[in-house]
Amino acid sequence: MSGNSGIGSAKITGIGYYLPEKILTNFDLEKMVDTSDEWIVTRSGIRERRIAAEHEAASDLAYEAAKMAVEKAGIDIKDVDLIIVATVTPDMTLPSTACIIQEKLGAMKAAAFDLSAACSGFIYGVATAQSMIGIGHIKKAIVVGVEVLSRIVDWEDRATCVLFGDGAGAVVLEACEKGEGIIGTYMQSDGSLGELLYRPGGGTRLPFNEEMIRERQHYVKMKGDGLFKIAVRSMVDAAEKTLDEAGVKKKDIDYLIPHQANIRIIEGVRKRLKLEKEQVVVNIDRVGNTSSASIPIALGELNESGTLKKGDLVIMVAFGGGLTWGSILFRN
Ligand code: UT7
């Protein structure tokens, strides 16, 4: 699903992110499972990741990121119409994490809901808010990507626990003229491949009980090699479709912000899009794979570094469980 067919569009006017303080290095992991810094770095590009403190839940991280985005945008929180929180690790099933941060932020005019699209969640959230703004339903939205994956990974499974981290990123979106701000969006899913990355237990199919927990079904399961093959292809496809639809050439892109799942996937996407290394935002070495939070954290860091300039053309591309993938093209 692609396009920007509304009467107007939305632009990003504030960016925020939050990383928990605790750093877990590959050397720490060597003491926990049968792995090595060398394996993790060469296979994934990850050196360390952040882990939420015991008292921190998804809404605490999301609140910090959203608060920073709102401050950067300089908007009155009372004017926010919509809050979308993309996450697969909400505080609880009910109420939504979006409603929890709505109250903390004091955005009492807003409608708030969570969105589940795994690592593509932030892209899906921005595309959803952009279309609601674009058709004129609302004027201001906050979109957050947040994960506390450390609570759902199996710390005895070396194939997954070395890859993931915790964090949050957020943007404020405000109405603008069509042709400014977000100029292209793309979302796609393939539900037939859900078992490549899933968490079987803890929902209504396999509710919490002793047997389910004993069989470790409440942890994330991943078929890494199966995902790897599809990741590059689908991210490049999403980027190309978004660019084509917007009538933008690859050579005009200033920055690519890819989902940070694996440095080899990022490199594959970069080469196929014919971009220079300097054009690709990479922080996987420091934060690992934070699923829906990965793109807004990378965007936040790019913005804070002062590198992102007004007028820059940026493409954000994600891929993840579901399967889901998608892309957002915007002019800063
Ligand atoms: O966020 C979006 C969704 N996620 C992704 O897109 C992830 C995509 N997949 C990947 O990033 C990569 O497939 C991984 C990083 C997960 C794995 O890299 P790989 O090159 O595909 O390795 P592999 O799964 O083929 O495993 C190679 C070997 C296996 O040993 P054998 O069977 O060849 O003897 C694994 O058991 O590496 C072993 N292995 C490890 N060894 C040391 C797996 N995990 C570890 C580990 N430390 N942590």
Side-chain angles (χ1 to χ4, degrees):
M1 182 173 120
S2 64
N4 180 7
S5 53
I7 49 171
S9 189
K11 63 179 172 192
I12 296 172
T13 58
I15 308 167
Y17 66 100
Y18 175 79
L19 290 167
E21 254 174 55
K22 186 181 168 190
I23 295 173
L24 186 73
T25 67
N26 291 351
F27 300 105
D28 296 326
L29 280 162
E30 284 181 354
K31 297 178 197 128
M32 296 162 64
V33 284
D34 180 15
T35 191
S36 66
D37 172 62
E38 199 261 333
W39 190 95
I40 303 171
V41 172
T42 52
R43 296 298 176 113
S44 73
I46 301 166
R47 292 181 188 277
E48 59 186 44
R49 68 288 291 142
R50 299 298 181 101
I51 304 292
E54 245 174 72
H55 67 270
E56 283 179 319
S59 68
D60 301 310
L61 278 56
Y63 168 71
E64 294 298 335
K67 187 162 68 102
M68 180 175 166
V70 168
E71 281 165 10
K72 295 272 175 188
I75 56 164
D76 186 339
I77 191 69
K78 295 188 192 70
D79 293 336
V80 172
D81 303 298
L82 174 69
I83 300 173
I84 300 176
V85 173
T87 187
V88 293
T89 50
D91 281 25
M92 53 191 91
T93 315
L94 183 72
S96 69
T97 301
C99 282
I100 295 170
I101 68 161
Q102 174 200 20
E103 198 266 329
K104 275 179 103 172
L105 289 165
M108 299 321 285
K109 184 182 129 186
F113 63 88
D114 285 2
L115 184 157
S116 170
C119 307
S120 312
F122 177 74
I123 297 293
Y124 275 45
V126 170
T128 303
Q130 185 266 350
S131 52
M132 289 174 79
I133 293 172
I135 57 170
H137 275 347
I138 59 166
K139 290 202 161 56
K140 293 183 204 298
I142 299 171
V143 179
V144 185
V146 60
E147 302 296 355
V148 187
L149 294 162
S150 60
R151 303 265 154 80
I152 64 162
V153 297
D154 185 345
W155 290 102
E156 292 182 14
D157 175 16
R158 67 176 183 172
T160 51
C161 75
V162 303
L163 302 172
F164 296 104
D166 301 336
V171 292
V172 169
L173 295 173
E174 295 187 65
C176 67
E177 296 295 319
K178 196 170 170 144
E180 292 174 18
I182 295 170
I183 52 180
T185 66
Y186 183 79
M187 292 186 279
Q188 175 77 54
S189 309
D190 183 350
S192 72
L193 297 170
E195 287 194 8
L196 290 180
L197 180 55
Y198 75 132
R199 185 189 181 211
T204 54
R205 178 68 58 197
L206 270 184
F208 274 102
N209 60 44
E210 274 179 35
E211 190 192 351
M212 186 276 277
I213 291 172
R214 202 170 43 247
E215 288 172 1
R216 309 184 84 76
Q217 295 297 307
H218 55 309
Y219 292 126
V220 171
K221 317 276 174 203
M222 188 174 86
K223 294 193 179 82
D225 50 347
L227 285 169
F228 197 103
K229 287 183 197 119
I230 306 164
V232 176
R233 196 183 341 126
S234 53
M235 284 167 80
V236 169
D237 184 56
E240 286 177 341
K241 286 201 168 105
T242 311
L243 291 166
D244 283 353
E245 188 96 359
V248 171
K249 301 249 177 317
K250 286 177 197 154
K251 66 173 180 51
D252 295 327
I253 297 172
D254 291 296
Y255 292 107
L256 164 71
I257 307 181
H259 169 50
Q260 312 279 314
N262 188 313
I263 192 66
R264 293 181 291 140
I265 294 176
I266 294 173
E267 265 299 284
V269 174
R270 177 186 77 77
K271 284 184 185 148
R272 301 225 347 227
L273 292 178
K274 299 190 170 52
L275 297 172
E276 301 299 325
K277 278 197 169 163
E278 302 69 44
Q279 294 178 277
V280 182
V281 184
V282 174
N283 65 1
I284 190 170
D285 52 324
R286 287 179 291 106
V287 300
N289 181 347
T290 57
S291 189
S292 68
S294 94
I295 288 178
I297 293 170
L299 174 65
E301 290 186 344
L302 180 73
N303 192 41
E304 286 305 295
S305 70
T307 326
L308 184 64
K309 299 278 183 288
K310 183 136 186 56
D312 279 347
L313 195 58
V314 182
I315 187 150
M316 308 188 285
V317 190
F319 165 85
L323 299 183
T324 56
W325 58 99
S327 169
I328 301 282
L329 177 68
F330 72 96
R331 194 168 290 284
N332 190 40

